[in-house]
Amino acid sequence: MSQVRTLPAITDDLLSAIVQTFRDVDADLVAVILFGSAVYAPDLARDLDFLVITGDPKERQRYQEAALQVARGWEVDVVVCRVGEKVRGLSGAVKAFGKVLWGDERWLWEVTKDMPIPSFDDARRTVREAEMDAQEAMRSQDAWHADSRWHSAYNWLFEAARRGTMAFLNTQESRWGVLRGQLPEPFQSEFREFINALHVRFWYEGDYPQDNPEGHFQTWRDRVAQFIRRLGTDGKAGVR
């Protein structure tokens, strides 16, 4: 079921107040970037994710504690990156959903450039990550834990479809709205359905099929695997 929202809206005033606390903590700050669900689905966001880029990193806790003082009840997560370094494991998320709140736009490019293009093998391995989460959900005796794993399993399926799409298009672009527009039919329509069902409704809103969850998951898993397989076949044939 969809989460009942009790937090205040994500306004410019709220974000500006948080940015100012980061600047108060760190005089060497060069950019503050908001990323994650607060950018692509603010009405459904559960927390605020920030990347701070600085010439002289301070302890992460200092940024986080300062932000919580003005966050109006929001949970805040802060990733700290030194100038000249890359965001490593988060580069895809930051590149796909990064919004520069303060500082030069070039810093968003600097921390995510040279991100490797996923391969079809990467996409297939990601399907296996979804399968492992689904298996754990089915084994779990704890309802909360099982629910969490089903959420994750469906989002891994979406991520597999996205990585397959990036491999097909041979692009570092990771924003699913842009990727969808670059796909030819029928892949474009299929990918749109994966976005709406797997990523938004099943994972983010938590409204995944509750009756026969194993059967429904297997159906979606097979659809994503076939999507990736067909992208790979058409890609080898030179279809773009």
Side-chain angles (χ1 to χ4, degrees):
M1 300 296 293
S2 299
Q3 181 186 21
V4 177
R5 187 177 181 81
T6 58
L7 292 166
I10 303 173
T11 63
D12 289 342
D13 286 346
L14 171 63
L15 296 175
S16 294
I18 293 174
V19 168
Q20 187 58 55
T21 67
F22 294 152
R23 296 179 64 189
D24 291 342
V25 164
D26 187 354
D28 297 293
L29 212 61
V30 299
V32 177
I33 297 170
L34 178 70
F35 68 97
S37 56
V39 176
Y40 67 81
D43 290 339
L44 299 172
R46 298 184 178 98
D47 58 11
L48 303 176
D49 297 305
F50 294 94
L51 169 67
V52 298
I53 306 172
T54 174
D56 183 19
K58 313 302 184 285
E59 291 183 4
R60 188 180 72 89
Q61 194 72 12
R62 291 181 59 187
Y63 301 98
Q64 194 156 341
E65 288 178 353
L68 288 172
Q69 297 300 313
V70 298
R72 305 176 194 171
W74 282 93
E75 291 295 324
V76 175
D77 195 17
V78 182
V79 177
V80 185
C81 182
R82 185 186 295 273
V83 169
E85 295 181 347
K86 298 294 183 290
V87 199
R88 309 239 176 245
L90 286 174
S91 58
V94 173
K95 186 171 184 177
F97 308 117
K99 178 181 179 182
V100 179
L101 300 179
W102 181 83
D104 196 298
E105 290 279 344
R106 72 183 176 89
W107 291 110
L108 178 57
W109 178 81
E110 285 286 346
V111 297
T112 59
K113 69 179 180 180
D114 302 324
M115 184 177 69
I117 297 172
S119 67
F120 288 112
D121 281 342
D122 292 331
R124 286 187 284 269
R125 281 191 287 267
T126 306
V127 171
R128 289 197 287 274
E129 290 292 328
E131 292 169 345
M132 287 189 288
D133 267 342
Q135 289 166 6
E136 188 172 345
M138 288 182 279
R139 288 194 302 265
S140 179
Q141 300 300 308
D142 180 271
W144 182 91
H145 181 69
D147 179 67
S148 177
R149 295 279 62 78
W150 282 123
H151 276 69
S152 180
Y154 279 116
N155 200 48
W156 276 122
L157 286 183
F158 165 72
E159 183 61 25
R162 176 163 65 173
R163 292 181 186 183
T165 298
M166 292 173 68
F168 173 78
L169 295 171
N170 192 33
T171 181
Q172 291 183 338
E173 175 61 66
S174 58
R175 291 172 292 178
W176 39 260
V178 177
L179 292 171
R180 182 191 64 205
Q182 294 177 351
L183 281 171
E185 291 291 4
F187 298 127
Q188 185 176 126
S189 294
E190 291 178 86
F191 191 55
R192 180 185 295 110
E193 188 174 0
F194 293 149
I195 293 168
N196 293 338
L198 299 175
H199 187 58
V200 177
R201 193 166 82 246
F202 294 176
W203 175 66
Y204 209 84
E205 296 179 357
D207 189 21
Y208 61 86
Q210 300 287 331
D211 60 309
N212 186 22
E214 180 179 0
H216 283 290
F217 173 81
Q218 189 62 41
T219 297
W220 283 100
R221 180 264 173 218
D222 291 347
R223 288 188 59 184
V224 169
Q226 183 182 37
F227 175 77
I228 294 167
R229 185 163 51 249
R230 288 168 51 230
L231 284 173
T233 300
D234 285 357
K236 290 176 182 177
V239 176
R240 285 290 184 271

